[in-house]
Amino acid sequence: MQKYISEQNLNALLDKLIAEGKRVVAPRLNAGTPLYEPLASAAELVIDRLPRRSGKEAFFPLCEDIMSYEKEGQRVELQDIDPVRFPETVLVGVRPCDAAAIPVLDTVFSWDYKDEFFLERRRKTTIIGLACTQADDACFCSAVGLSPGDPKGADLFLTPLEGGGYACEAFSEKGETLVGAHHELFAEPNGAKALPLAEPQTDAFDLKKVKQWLDEHFEDPSWDTIATRCVGCGACAFVCPACHCFDIVDEGTEKKGKRRKNWDACGFWKFTHHASGHNPRDQQPKRYRNRIMHKFKYYDDKFGQTLCTGCGRCIRLCPVGIDIAAILQQVEAKVE
Amino acid sequence: MTQAIDTSLYAAVTDAIRNEASRILSDGTVSAVIGYTAARRRGSAQPIVVSRIEDAAKLIFTPACVNNLAVYLTKAKKEVPKAGRIGVVVKGCDLKALVGLMGESQLTRERLYLIGVPCVGVLASVVQPDTELTSESIAPKCRECDAHLPAGCDYVPAQKPVTPELEKKYAAEIARLEALTPAERWSYWKEQSSKCIKCYACRQVCPFCFCEQCLCDRNKPQMVESTPRPAGNVAWHIVRAMHLAGRCAGCAECERVCPMDIPLNLLNRKMAKELKELFDHEAGFEVNEKGPLATFTEKDDQSFIK
Ligand code: SF4
Ligand code: SF4
Ligand code: SF4
Ligand code: SF4
Ligand code: SF4
């Protein structure tokens, strides 16, 4: 079902959704930094820049309360959070690298333990994807099997057209419902050509080869050369659309407080630091090895998927220039 | 108006660094040299530890050599080779951090072999690494640099940096903030700190954040809310500014690496200004055995005691 929507009508759609009481999350500027955040109105939309952080936080916020407690004498009161109260959401302008990560996250959050905080937000969210017409030399979605025009993960997908406006196609029931409910804003295709898609310049990886090397080289001296310079911050994990480790902490006083779920990162020295004081990943190269293993081996072993969509965010932001695509190239080259 | 900045001396600096690194590795002066090397993206550079003579040829110096390599000589980075004397490529601004670390007994001069860089500037954090160096793309710290030619190194290539006069941005921004009412200033910092995601990149690159366990990581008991929420974020930024007061060497690494564009160096520069006014203390090339906040003298300003 191909449709056409003009820029003006897209804005009108967002304003209508906001007026209906839906949470519309889309790229906007926060004190100058582009982020996916709830819009107050469509005028805030800044669609031409890749947001600094990914779209995952529409389901998996940086930090959320999962319980509150109060204690007085012998009386302890626990208050659950009711996921039913999570708002209906439309996530707009999601780049293919961000959208493709969402089904990957679905798998882990609905595996042995069903994470209702994630899943309920996910059920209530419609995703409007957007094809990319610009890439820099950190982008490598096409090297991990995606493309700047890949609608994977999107309910509705927009492709910018020559002369303005977007071609619009629904890829799920949610997408069709959204178009159906606002059909007056969509028109029949006008025959305009799509703008040329971005062209990421990294050659495709043979992820099987990469995995083969990882399978056999848990211990290997090259981990040191790869990662000695890693300073152990969480920047790479925090900007990644596919990273999903979290920590749970109680904050407040002994008498009153909240239990909170917040992002964790394998770069941190505290990650897997045991209560005994022992840490199986006691040095930075071991922590970085975990990052690569998790993305290209463990996740594949367990779920048959790769935990990287090539958005390049970690490459742009790593304080010491650690480049995951360069590392994959090196690893691939080690296999005959 | 955008002014071009002449970086042609960096080619000769690169050659000189390679030759010197190869010399000190072959005659056994050092066991390793920490410097910069080219990376995959066009024009990009990254830190490298060179311990084999043949790898000295990998060293470079370009406007993308932004890191302060002093961080690799702190105990927070135990994994970097520590045996023997270590060579390190230093820009003048970064050298102040090494001097500060010596003052805090974290390093001794004899353990280091300093290859100083005549420097006209490096790129700001958000630009593509192959951007040309101009008065617009240059790192903010380079606009007010007083260390284009580092002092007291073991070796400095002969090139003389020629730099244009650039408008000082930190000084102007601090003056602007100082002119605000306390309420306006508070709301400015509240907005900035609300963006913080507690990735701790600012802490991890800072040469002076070498505590084995940061106060902000403590959870038994928790000292500062560790989640990225308003209260804990503000506390984090205040704790850091206070811990760095009188210690911060002004390398601006914390600000460069912040993925959320929080202007952290404004806090540092403001604290440095206070320290200058109250204690006549400035980060520089003199090793000070005791920092102003670690000593008491009767001349100290006591006016805050009411
Ligand atoms: S690992 Fe890096 S490039 Fe891959 S999806 Fe995550 S942030 Fe993007
Ligand atoms: S790889 Fe880079 S961004 Fe990731 S933890 Fe290490 S230094 Fe930080
Ligand atoms: S502050 Fe000075 S020494 Fe440091 S990078 Fe800039 S120009 Fe070079
Ligand atoms: S606080 Fe920032 S500017 Fe100061 S020494 Fe640390 S990283 Fe450098
Ligand atoms: S680098 Fe920026 S976002 Fe990360 S902890 Fe520091 S201030 Fe917060």
Side-chain angles (χ1 to χ4, degrees):
Chain A
M1 186 202 59
Q2 277 270 1
K3 292 270 177 198
Y4 167 82
I5 186 164
S6 65
E7 271 128 24
Q8 219 179 352
N9 280 3
L10 179 64
N11 284 351
L13 174 68
L14 304 190
D15 281 330
K16 268 185 82 178
L17 293 167
I18 294 167
E20 285 167 16
K22 298 210 167 64
R23 182 174 71 133
V24 173
V25 177
R28 69 183 278 275
L29 293 181
N30 177 336
T33 309
L35 295 173
Y36 291 104
E37 284 185 337
L39 300 186
S41 89
E44 288 182 348
L45 182 70
V46 177
I47 210 157
D48 61 343
R49 261 181 278 178
L50 181 72
R52 194 64 61 78
R53 303 199 306 252
S54 80
K56 71 180 174 192
E57 42 198 293
F59 325 107
F60 175 35
L62 187 52
C63 177
E64 66 180 322
D65 297 345
I66 55 176
M67 192 188 86
S68 57
Y69 63 85
E70 253 188 273
K71 193 173 152 219
E72 223 193 294
Q74 292 304 319
R75 187 184 63 90
V76 179
E77 217 169 277
L78 301 179
Q79 191 92 50
D80 280 334
I81 304 292
D82 184 3
V84 172
R85 297 217 305 255
F86 293 154
E88 293 276 343
T89 297
V90 184
L91 182 56
V92 185
V94 188
R95 304 305 161 113
C97 51
D98 283 342
I102 296 165
V104 176
L105 293 180
D106 288 344
T107 317
V108 69
F109 282 110
S110 60
W111 167 56
D112 62 343
Y113 180 80
K114 308 263 176 287
D115 187 320
E116 277 310 312
F117 291 89
F118 179 93
L119 295 172
E120 183 62 17
R121 285 198 182 85
R122 185 70 177 91
R123 276 192 282 275
K124 288 185 165 154
T125 303
T126 305
I127 296 163
I128 305 186
L130 173 71
C132 283
T133 52
Q134 269 184 333
D136 66 10
D137 60 352
C139 290
F140 63 99
C141 62
S142 51
V144 289
L146 292 161
S147 98
D150 196 327
K152 185 182 171 199
D155 297 301
L156 202 64
F157 192 71
L158 305 176
T159 309
L161 297 175
E162 274 176 13
Y166 303 93
C168 166
E169 192 166 353
F171 286 90
S172 74
E173 231 182 275
K174 276 184 189 169
E176 276 165 23
T177 309
L178 187 88
V179 175
H182 301 279
H183 55 88
E184 72 286 357
L185 297 171
F186 294 85
E188 289 312 307
N190 63 3
K193 274 212 327 223
L195 283 177
L197 290 177
E199 291 179 29
Q201 284 147 34
T202 310
D203 291 336
F205 295 115
D206 185 338
L207 292 170
K208 286 214 173 60
K209 270 193 186 173
V210 169
K211 183 166 180 310
Q212 186 192 331
W213 189 84
L214 295 178
D215 281 341
E216 292 159 5
H217 295 87
F218 185 77
E219 299 285 356
D220 192 273
S222 45
W223 290 116
D224 283 337
T225 44
I226 287 172
T228 312
R229 67 184 194 278
C230 170
V231 291
C233 64
C236 52
F238 279 20
V239 297
C240 177
C243 279
H244 52 262
C245 287
F246 58 83
D247 192 16
I248 290 179
V249 290
D250 290 341
E251 293 187 326
T253 62
E254 194 197 339
K255 288 203 176 329
K256 191 176 167 160
K258 299 249 162 79
R259 176 159 296 175
R260 294 183 173 130
K261 172 179 162 198
N262 61 303
W263 294 354
D264 202 350
C266 50
F268 293 156
W269 71 271
K270 271 202 317 186
F271 188 82
T272 61
H273 193 242
H274 298 176
S276 65
H278 172 68
N279 191 339
R281 301 184 181 96
D282 56 349
Q283 290 185 339
Q284 214 54 49
K286 296 188 192 171
R287 295 178 202 128
Y288 193 77
R289 173 180 65 197
N290 183 71
R291 179 168 173 78
I292 298 294
M293 287 281 183
H294 188 190
K295 291 194 177 291
F296 302 99
K297 170 175 160 56
Y298 306 148
Y299 207 82
D300 194 335
D301 281 339
K302 214 172 178 70
F303 301 119
Q305 304 191 60
T306 296
L307 201 58
C308 168
T309 61
C311 71
R313 285 191 178 89
C314 58
I315 301 174
R316 289 179 205 99
L317 288 173
C318 173
V320 296
I322 292 183
D323 178 333
I324 197 166
I327 289 161
L328 292 177
Q329 281 172 347
Q330 280 170 38
V331 167
E332 191 184 11
K334 288 174 195 287
V335 182
E336 284 317 308
Chain B
M1 193 195 69
T2 310
Q3 262 172 287
I5 295 175
D6 180 10
T7 57
S8 57
L9 82 166
Y10 287 170
V13 169
T14 296
D15 284 340
I17 291 173
R18 287 178 183 171
N19 289 338
E20 187 62 4
S22 145
R23 189 186 71 77
I24 56 178
L25 282 165
S26 34
D27 72 9
T29 307
V30 297
S31 58
V33 175
I34 305 174
Y36 307 92
T37 193
R40 184 188 67 106
R41 295 176 74 194
R42 281 184 301 278
S44 63
Q46 66 189 32
I48 186 177
V49 182
V50 172
S51 47
R52 299 185 317 175
I53 301 159
E54 60 270 33
D55 288 342
K58 292 184 179 163
L59 294 166
I60 59 163
F61 194 81
T62 70
C65 297
V66 291
N67 307 70
N68 179 356
L69 302 173
V71 71
Y72 293 114
L73 294 158
T74 64
K75 64 177 169 224
K77 293 295 305 168
K78 295 192 258 305
E79 290 97 58
V80 174
K82 277 300 172 61
R85 197 168 169 197
I86 305 285
V88 53
V89 176
V90 276
K91 308 187 285 285
C93 53
D94 301 341
L95 185 57
K96 290 181 187 170
L98 286 178
V99 170
L101 288 169
M102 287 174 211
E104 295 187 15
S105 306
Q106 298 299 309
L107 282 174
T108 56
R109 183 67 181 84
E110 302 74 55
R111 288 228 26 240
L112 301 174
Y113 187 92
L114 303 176
I115 304 177
V117 179
C119 176
V120 296
V122 295
L123 289 165
S125 63
V126 287
V127 299
Q128 282 281 114
D130 62 351
T131 308
E132 200 190 327
L133 193 70
T134 66
S135 54
E136 289 309 303
S137 65
I138 197 168
K141 66 173 175 179
C142 303
R143 297 174 160 277
E144 25 213 278
C145 175
D146 59 359
H148 293 288
L149 203 59
C153 291
D154 297 292
Y155 171 78
V156 183
Q159 280 65 30
K160 287 276 163 292
V162 181
T163 52
E165 256 318 296
L166 298 171
E167 181 201 342
K168 292 182 162 56
K169 286 202 171 158
Y170 286 126
E173 187 60 5
I174 287 174
R176 184 185 75 80
L177 290 174
E178 283 173 346
L180 297 178
T181 65
E184 288 166 336
R185 245 192 328 268
W186 179 236
S187 83
Y188 172 82
W189 284 112
K190 268 214 312 227
E191 185 187 6
Q192 291 297 339
S193 86
S194 73
K195 291 193 293 184
C196 176
I197 53 179
K198 294 274 178 78
C199 68
Y200 295 125
C202 50
R203 177 182 76 188
Q204 295 307 102
V205 290
C206 176
F208 292 95
C209 279
F210 54 68
C211 292
E212 299 255 356
Q213 192 175 137
C214 175
L215 170 81
C216 296
D217 277 343
R218 287 204 66 98
N219 56 3
K220 286 180 301 181
Q222 189 182 62
M223 313 294 275
V224 173
E225 274 197 4
S226 66
T227 54
R229 289 168 18 84
N233 284 0
V234 169
W236 162 235
H237 290 105
I238 293 175
V239 164
R240 225 182 88 80
M242 292 309 290
H243 277 190
L244 271 303
R247 303 175 64 228
C248 168
C251 65
E253 281 287 86
C254 46
E255 176 168 293
R256 171 182 74 84
V257 304
C258 176
M260 299 316 300
D261 306 327
I262 300 171
L264 295 168
N265 206 32
L266 288 178
L267 283 177
N268 300 331
R269 292 306 89 220
K270 172 66 178 165
M271 296 313 279
K273 201 173 158 204
E274 300 272 312
L275 266 286
K276 171 79 181 143
E277 280 159 18
L278 289 170
F279 302 99
D280 196 26
H281 168 88
E282 253 178 299
F285 301 120
E286 292 285 314
V287 178
N288 290 308
E289 295 292 328
K290 282 268 161 62
L293 298 191
T295 38
F296 170 78
T297 76
E298 292 196 356
K299 287 189 297 187
D300 284 350
D301 177 53
Q302 321 255 336
S303 60
F304 67 95
I305 304 172
K306 299 265 157 67

